[in-house]
Amino acid sequence: MITELGHYALILALATALVQSLVPLIGAQRGDAGMMAVGPMAANISFVLVAFSFLTLTYAYVISDFSLLNVVENSHSMKPMIYKITGVWGNHEGSMLLWVLILVIFSTLVATFGRNLPDTLRANVLSVQAWITVAFLLFILLTSNPFIRLSNAPAEGNDLNPILQDLGLAIHPPLLYLGYVGFSISFSFAAAALIEGRLDAAWARWVRPWTLVAWTFLTAGIAMGSYWAYYELGWGGWWFWDPVENASFMPWLAGTALLHSALVMEKREALKVWTVLLSILTFSFSLLGTFLVRSGVLTSVHAFATDPTRGVFILGILALFIGGAFTLFGLRAGALRTGGLFAPISREGALVLNNLFLTTATATVFVGTLYPLLLEATTGTKISVGAPFFNLTFGPLMIPLMIAVPFGPLLAWKRGDLMGATQRLYAAIGISLVVGLVIMALTSDEPVLAAAGMALGVFVILGALTDIVQRAGIGRLPASTAWARFKGLPRSAFGTAFAHAGLGVTMIGVVAASVYSTEHVSAMRAGDTVDAGGYTVRFDGITDVQGPNYTAKSAAFIVSKGGAEVARVASAKRFYPARQMPTTEAGILTFGASQLYIALGDFQSNGTLVVRVWWKSWVTFIWYGTVLMMIGGALSLSDRRLRIGAPRKAARPAKQAEAVA
Amino acid sequence: MNRKQKRLSIIAAGAIFLAGAAALVMSALSDQIVFFSSPTDIHTKAVSPNTRIRLGGLVEEGTVERGEGADVTFAVTDTNDSVKVTYNGILPDLFREGQGVVAEGIYDPSSQIFTADTILAKHDENYMPKEVADALKAQGVWQEGEEAMGKAAAN
């Protein structure tokens, strides 16, 4: 009964979204305040309805209601409660419902915090949001309904795919979707601005916090997914350039570009048209990612062809929204006045450079992801485009970008002084060169390029520090003055520094883990040892373990250094009978920034066990860097000038801009 | 520079970027992509000994032999033809006789042995690597009904 109510609520949400998609829009055209006021109300009602619907599905999972097809396919009565709950979005139907839930959460946030937006802008934004809601609610109700009942309920379910029964993966999709779907706001703002034909710096000021929120969550989601793949799949890899990963990476790259171009627009009223275009592009990549992951096209082009309903439906949504937005853009972009002038060497120039690199990098990832699909669909030739392709295309684009990163914040707006910026970076350049040379000397048999990469990472970190030091005048002014200036720096300055330093930290992790890691595969008996990263790993025997819904063989290892025991770690192979599926539970120990990673292979007939021991040099830096980036995002967001909802102050310049326009 | 020149120079810079990126992509695509072959393809089409290829099919029943340490040999079959594969390393969790597999590496036509450096078996019991499924369908071995829609792991 409760699930029927949930199903019904979802249909009501569709009806509400339909109202919201038209009434406020018409109201904005006519200047009818009553009609425009429908927008926030409808957004809040949609949110309540979809949230209720989501809760009923969760309830069905919690009580293991096996009369629901979706629960049977993805749950099991013996499954731990936490995975019963997270199992709600561990499948296609449930994850689409989560997608829509997050979409309506963002709409209701705009309705709530956007009180000081101009009424027409808010009405248009909410209508555009509702178009997206309508499209995806239709998709769920027509092709992916999680509320389908079975006439003969089985006694037990099929269980959730065991590799998804993990806390990391439990919170990965919500974070990722908060990012993906968060970009719908910048899209809706862009579409609303095009509909109104008005675009000013105040617009950028409203769009930027939303973009920042989405970007910060997307960063968290991608980092979480990467760490999950690292420890759960037992391959020791943290990024595979898999199409599913690229699907989330493309909106991240485009979103990063958008953050930077919106900055130019906000401060200097330049790059307006480009910022609108990027807003549309970024959300288009989110939609493309949803299509790639949700249509089944990646799993099998054939499956897509035999059961095309879902794929074609999302493809339709994709075509409608991207096509529609670009048509609107084509019609209206000419009418948008372009803004301030700037010299090529300037803060704006640096941000344009950033945008060129990032969008080009996005394009290479796009080609590498879609080319194999396209080739197979048209000619039937099957190819795989893997890491070598991306290393050769994406890599060369990132290196000059990383070199440029520290210079950007040191250049003045409008007209910058490259020599001056370089002089202020002398210390950073000097230290990173020394670091590079030392690494080169210490690792003479490793590629020189790796040492250069490490030095570049150090340069980016020091460059970020330099900006703060210079702005506060540390070392140049008396300590007390410098401290006062340091405290007085806007939060966004620290945000920039954290995010840029995080980039450098991640780069160091990526280079070190790729080049300086070691791998030892050997067949071991109890008592055998392997040396890795200066530690000795001794295999201490196997025990059988009985878990709630699995059985496991767990191998104990004793790690010692110089004869003294340092740590013990278990590495296991689990077997989940419900799905007849084994998983690897790697044993991971962290030493400083590096990790010792032990994964089990097969049991040999002669009684030995194949064990793979990795020494992953500095690997944790990859994720520490992303944490710094998230902190950077949060700091920028907390900047007074950007606080969502706060800008009573921002409302005034908007009115002025209106008057001018 | 006036506004028009400025816009032109930005467009020109963008065009140079795109051209450079296009050149990178084209060269990488011509060198770095890996083609997929079935065992039948390997024997009927000439495969040059230095190109990386992906070999896909089923692990032939009764052919998996473990050697010294982590050495393993097995045969990959598309039921029509089969190729012997050698590999040193840990096999994926879902590697089993009779199951679909994709091996990436180099084929030596003189010894007729495929030396794999990567073995892929996706982490979903329902999931047959799509190249394998298609190749098997081409051989008529694969029944439509068996095809479980592989679930893209909640990413």
Side-chain angles (χ1 to χ4, degrees):
Chain A
M1 179 60 200
I2 286 183
T3 39
E4 270 65 40
L5 284 176
H7 192 173
Y8 185 59
L10 208 58
I11 297 169
L12 283 182
L14 175 65
T16 318
L18 276 170
V19 172
Q20 189 191 333
S21 65
L22 285 176
V23 176
L25 186 74
I26 297 168
Q29 292 292 321
R30 293 189 183 162
D32 182 332
M35 286 176 87
M36 287 193 275
V38 169
M41 207 184 351
N44 293 336
I45 295 172
S46 294
F47 162 68
V48 171
L49 289 169
V50 176
F52 174 74
S53 177
F54 188 83
L55 282 177
T56 60
L57 184 63
T58 312
Y59 177 72
Y61 268 85
V62 168
I63 62 163
S64 292
D65 181 355
F66 291 127
S67 67
L68 275 186
L69 178 64
N70 193 252
V71 181
V72 174
E73 282 179 340
N74 300 291
S75 198
H76 192 280
S77 58
M78 298 293 286
K79 198 165 65 167
M81 180 54 71
I82 175 82
Y83 299 130
K84 282 185 182 168
I85 296 170
T86 66
V88 174
W89 56 80
N91 62 86
H92 171 81
E93 289 82 2
S95 82
M96 284 319 297
L97 191 56
L98 178 70
W99 205 101
V100 172
L101 175 64
I102 291 174
L103 186 67
V104 293
I105 288 177
F106 274 107
S107 301
T108 199
L109 285 177
V110 171
T112 313
F113 291 108
R115 293 222 177 85
N116 38 42
L117 287 172
D119 287 343
T120 52
L121 181 61
R122 182 168 66 153
N124 283 329
V125 167
L126 286 174
S127 276
V128 178
Q129 279 291 114
W131 299 345
I132 308 170
T133 316
V134 167
F136 279 93
L137 278 177
L138 276 175
F139 175 70
I140 292 180
L141 289 168
L142 297 179
T143 74
S144 317
N145 196 332
F147 294 109
I148 291 174
R149 289 272 193 194
L150 288 173
S151 48
N152 296 315
E156 194 48 91
N158 297 346
D159 208 353
L160 176 66
N161 187 338
I163 60 165
L164 304 185
Q165 295 187 26
D166 178 272
L167 211 56
L169 206 69
I171 47 178
H172 165 66
L175 286 175
L176 203 62
Y177 282 1
L178 281 168
Y180 254 40
V181 180
F183 286 128
S184 69
I185 302 285
S186 19
F187 174 86
S188 297
F189 266 92
L194 288 171
I195 292 169
E196 284 196 60
R198 201 182 66 216
L199 198 58
D200 47 39
W203 180 89
R205 194 168 304 152
W206 280 305
V207 169
R208 220 157 72 81
W210 296 106
T211 313
L212 252 173
V213 170
W215 180 87
T216 308
F217 279 118
L218 191 56
T219 309
I222 293 174
M224 180 68 79
S226 150
Y227 192 63
W228 169 80
Y230 171 75
Y231 73 74
E232 179 69 22
L233 297 182
W235 302 340
W238 41 269
W239 191 260
F240 300 95
W241 293 108
D242 184 272
V244 175
E245 290 170 322
N246 294 347
S248 62
F249 195 43
M250 287 188 279
W252 188 86
L253 287 169
T256 311
L258 174 60
L259 272 184
H260 290 87
S261 78
L263 190 66
V264 177
M265 185 173 161
E266 182 189 333
K267 302 278 196 230
R268 299 276 307 129
E269 286 228 26
L271 301 186
K272 280 180 172 177
V273 178
W274 173 242
T275 305
V276 167
L277 186 64
L278 264 184
S279 303
I280 296 173
L281 264 180
T282 305
F283 186 60
S284 302
F285 281 119
S286 295
L287 288 176
L288 177 71
T290 306
F291 166 72
L292 287 176
V293 176
R294 286 292 145 219
S295 65
V297 70
L298 294 177
T299 322
S300 166
V301 171
H302 191 83
F304 178 66
T306 47
D307 178 22
T309 6
R310 287 176 179 174
V312 168
F313 203 113
I314 307 189
L315 205 57
I317 295 179
L318 201 69
L320 192 70
F321 279 92
I322 301 178
F326 279 112
T327 309
L328 195 60
F329 180 81
L331 291 175
R332 292 299 187 96
L336 302 170
R337 294 182 318 126
T338 44
L341 286 174
F342 54 88
I345 304 290
S346 61
R347 181 86 63 90
E348 295 96 320
L351 290 166
V352 168
L353 194 69
N354 151 302
N355 269 233
L356 281 173
F357 276 115
L358 283 174
T359 45
T360 314
T362 315
T364 62
V365 177
F366 178 79
V367 171
T369 310
L370 288 196
Y371 180 66
L373 291 175
L374 207 65
L375 192 68
E376 188 180 347
T378 52
T379 68
T381 312
K382 299 181 187 71
I383 58 164
S384 85
V385 171
F389 170 85
F390 293 101
N391 293 346
L392 272 182
T393 53
F394 187 77
L397 284 168
M398 281 303 109
I399 291 166
L401 177 63
M402 298 285 271
I403 295 174
V405 162
F407 287 92
L410 291 173
L411 292 171
W413 291 105
K414 240 180 150 174
R415 187 178 301 275
D417 174 9
L418 191 58
M419 252 338 272
T422 314
Q423 275 168 5
R424 281 178 278 171
L425 282 170
Y426 274 163
I429 295 170
I431 296 173
S432 48
L433 279 179
V434 170
V435 169
L437 288 172
V438 168
I439 293 175
M440 218 186 313
L442 289 178
T443 59
S444 47
D445 42 355
E446 302 291 352
V448 175
L449 219 54
M454 299 288 279
L456 188 53
V458 173
F459 174 58
V460 174
I461 298 171
L462 292 177
L465 278 177
T466 306
D467 182 40
I468 296 292
V469 168
Q470 291 288 341
R471 286 176 137 211
I474 297 168
R476 191 156 47 82
L477 300 170
S480 58
T481 324
W483 175 241
R485 284 181 59 162
F486 178 81
K487 281 196 299 185
L489 283 181
R491 295 259 182 93
S492 60
F494 290 105
T496 305
F498 267 92
H500 285 180
L503 194 63
V505 171
T506 296
M507 175 160 188
I508 290 176
V510 167
V511 173
S514 316
V515 182
Y516 304 127
S517 293
T518 56
E519 181 186 358
H520 316 265
V521 181
S522 48
M524 297 177 92
R525 277 175 213 283
D528 286 355
T529 59
V530 168
D531 289 325
Y535 292 86
T536 304
V537 179
R538 190 164 73 90
F539 175 35
D540 200 38
I542 297 267
T543 45
D544 286 321
V545 177
Q546 180 66 48
N549 53 347
Y550 61 86
T551 58
K553 285 201 179 302
S554 176
F557 295 89
I558 297 173
V559 180
S560 55
K561 185 164 198 169
E565 181 180 324
V566 187
R568 285 169 183 255
V569 66
S571 178
K573 253 193 182 325
R574 286 187 188 166
F575 183 73
Y576 288 79
R579 288 218 175 191
Q580 292 288 307
M581 193 170 154
T583 68
T584 299
E585 299 296 313
I588 301 174
L589 284 173
T590 307
F591 297 106
S594 306
Q595 288 187 327
L596 195 62
Y597 186 113
I598 304 171
L600 304 187
D602 294 306
F603 292 91
Q604 308 283 60
S605 48
N606 60 5
T608 58
L609 172 65
V610 179
V611 179
R612 187 180 258 184
V613 177
W614 275 284
W615 177 255
K616 293 275 176 193
S617 295
W618 296 60
V619 70
T620 52
F621 266 39
I622 295 172
W623 301 291
Y624 286 145
T626 60
V627 171
L628 287 179
M629 288 184 219
M630 285 179 253
I631 294 175
L635 277 174
S636 293
L637 204 56
S638 72
D639 192 300
R640 213 169 51 84
R641 290 176 299 174
L642 264 188
R643 199 170 300 150
I644 309 174
R648 277 270 162 245
K649 286 194 190 103
R652 235 170 287 138
K655 294 248 168 60
Q656 281 166 11
E658 235 167 89
V660 174
Chain B
M1 277 199 279
N2 63 27
R3 195 181 291 272
K4 196 168 178 186
Q5 285 170 320
K6 184 131 304 169
R7 186 181 294 173
L8 277 176
S9 62
I10 289 182
I11 290 171
I16 291 169
F17 258 78
L18 281 178
L24 273 175
V25 166
M26 296 311 281
S27 78
L29 273 183
S30 60
D31 297 339
Q32 301 299 334
I33 54 171
V34 180
F35 284 88
F36 175 85
S37 301
S38 68
T40 312
D41 291 340
I42 281 199
H43 288 132
T44 51
K45 296 176 191 163
V47 180
S48 98
N50 292 319
T51 349
R52 286 174 65 77
I53 50 174
R54 283 188 157 201
L55 169 70
L58 299 172
V59 181
E60 199 169 344
E61 301 274 357
T63 60
V64 179
E65 280 173 38
R66 301 185 194 271
E68 278 294 294
D71 280 340
V72 64
T73 65
F74 55 90
V76 169
T77 176
D78 55 6
T79 67
N80 181 31
D81 213 334
S82 79
V83 173
K84 193 175 176 193
V85 178
T86 68
Y87 174 66
N88 179 285
I90 288 191
L91 294 166
D93 287 337
L94 291 172
F95 180 91
R96 266 177 244 162
E97 291 193 351
Q99 294 278 342
V101 70
V102 171
E104 197 170 312
I106 287 164
Y107 179 70
D108 179 3
S110 55
S111 66
Q112 304 224 324
I113 288 178
F114 187 89
T115 308
D117 51 38
T118 312
I119 302 282
L120 304 170
K122 274 279 178 171
H123 280 249
D124 180 336
E125 44 139 21
N126 294 327
Y127 179 50
M128 179 73 82
K130 92 176 177 223
E131 297 99 331
V132 177
D134 291 349
L136 291 176
K137 261 176 223 131
Q139 297 288 334
V141 187
W142 179 269
Q143 267 91 48
E144 248 355 282
E146 278 176 36
E147 181 167 15
M149 289 270 287
K151 294 190 173 74
N155 269 292

